[in-house]
Amino acid sequence: MSERARLEELKQVDVTGAVLDYCLGATATWDTDVLRALREETAALGDVAVMQIPPLQDSLLTMLVASIRARVAVEVGTFTGASAISIARGLVLSGVEDPRLFCHDVSNEWTAIARRYWERAGLSGVIELSIGPALETLPRTVESLGSLRIDFVFIDADKVNSRAYIEALYGAMRPGGIIVVDNALRDGRVLPGGAQTDSDRASAALNRDLAQDERFETLLLPLADGLLICRVC
C-alpha cells in the first residue's frame, strides 16, 4: 500500500508546511509579541533551540489547562519558558483563585531568559521555579502543596526519567487531571526497528506501558514530535 493510500485509509491529511501554516493562521493565539520575541531570542542560541516547543503546542497546552479549570500545574523541563507561559496563561483563563505553576529545571542559564519573559507576560506571580535535579525538587513541591491536588503536568525533560517524574507526581494528582509528555515519538525512532538510543527506548517503553496502565486513559497525538496525553482515572 502506498503512503498516500495509507493516509487516506487513516483519514489523515498529509501535514505539509502549508497545512501547518494554515492551522496556525486559524488558531487563536495570546500575547504573540511576547512569545515571538522569546522564540527569536531562543533561536539565536543555536542548535539547542530545538528544545523549544512549537506554536501549535503552545496553544494546545493553554487550551488543555483552561478546559479542565486547572489551579495547580507542574512543569518538568522549562528551558527558556515558552511552555510555562502557555500553561500559566491557561491557569489564568481557568478563572480559579490563586493559580500556581511549579517549574523544575536544572539550568540557571536558560531559565534566566524564561524569567524575563514571564515578567513581560505578566505571569511572574503565577510561576515558581525550582533549580536542580527534578527527582530531588519534585518531592519538595508535592510536600509544599499540602492538601492541594495537582491538575496538570507537562514533562519535557530527560526521557529516561519521564516515568520516574510521573510516579513522583501521580499520588498528588486529582482524578481527571492531565499529564502531557513531550517528544513521545522521538522523530519516529520509537517505531520497531528504529535506531534507538536509551532515550528512544525509554520513550517507546513509556508509550507502551502507560497505554496498558489502568490508572490512565492515554492518547498519543502526532503533533510536533509526539505528545503522550494521559488522563488520570
Side-chain angles (χ1 to χ4, degrees):
M1 181 182 294
S2 69
E3 185 65 18
R4 167 57 60 185
R6 180 61 174 158
L7 288 172
E8 290 176 354
E9 181 183 61
L10 294 172
K11 312 295 185 188
Q12 173 65 51
V13 66
D14 189 1
V15 184
T16 62
V19 170
L20 284 173
D21 286 340
Y22 179 84
C23 291
L24 283 169
T27 298
T29 57
W30 172 82
D31 214 348
T32 54
D33 289 343
V34 171
L35 286 173
R36 186 180 300 114
L38 174 53
R39 292 186 185 286
E40 290 175 356
E41 182 167 343
T42 302
L45 298 174
D47 292 344
V48 72
V50 72
M51 293 194 295
Q52 187 174 62
I53 68 171
L56 281 176
Q57 190 170 329
D58 277 325
S59 296
L60 178 62
L61 291 178
T62 298
M63 183 172 288
L64 285 174
V65 172
S67 294
I68 64 171
R69 290 184 53 81
R71 176 184 177 187
V72 178
V74 175
E75 176 179 75
V76 185
T78 295
F79 191 40
T80 57
S83 54
I85 288 176
S86 301
I87 295 168
R89 160 65 173 160
L91 293 172
V92 172
L93 287 176
S94 293
V96 297
E97 183 180 355
D98 190 24
R100 302 168 73 182
L101 168 59
F102 297 88
C103 292
H104 297 258
D105 203 281
V106 295
S107 173
N108 279 303
E109 179 182 3
W110 307 138
T111 55
I113 298 172
R115 287 182 186 275
R116 286 195 282 109
Y117 283 91
W118 296 341
E119 183 69 30
R120 287 179 58 175
L123 294 168
S124 292
V126 176
I127 304 171
E128 179 178 323
L129 175 64
S130 295
I131 297 295
L135 290 179
E136 298 177 9
T137 58
L138 286 173
R140 293 198 287 269
T141 290
V142 170
E143 183 178 4
S144 72
L145 291 174
S147 61
L148 287 177
R149 299 289 88 187
I150 298 169
D151 303 291
F152 185 86
V153 171
F154 180 55
I155 298 175
D156 187 13
D158 59 303
K159 309 312 171 188
V160 172
N161 282 317
S162 289
R163 185 193 303 272
Y165 300 145
I166 291 172
E167 296 302 334
L169 295 168
Y170 171 77
M173 295 195 69
R174 71 165 170 90
I178 298 291
I179 301 171
V180 178
V181 183
D182 200 14
N183 304 115
L185 292 177
R186 299 290 297 165
D187 200 25
R189 294 189 300 274
V190 294
L191 274 62
Q196 295 183 341
T197 64
D198 288 345
S199 293
D200 300 333
R201 286 187 287 272
S203 292
L206 187 69
N207 295 339
R208 179 192 66 238
D209 294 346
L210 290 189
Q212 301 170 357
D213 192 325
E214 294 182 353
R215 298 175 299 172
F216 305 105
E217 297 172 351
T218 61
L219 167 66
L220 181 50
L221 189 65
L223 173 64
D225 193 26
L227 293 179
L228 180 60
I229 302 175
C230 308
R231 179 182 178 276
V232 178
C233 296

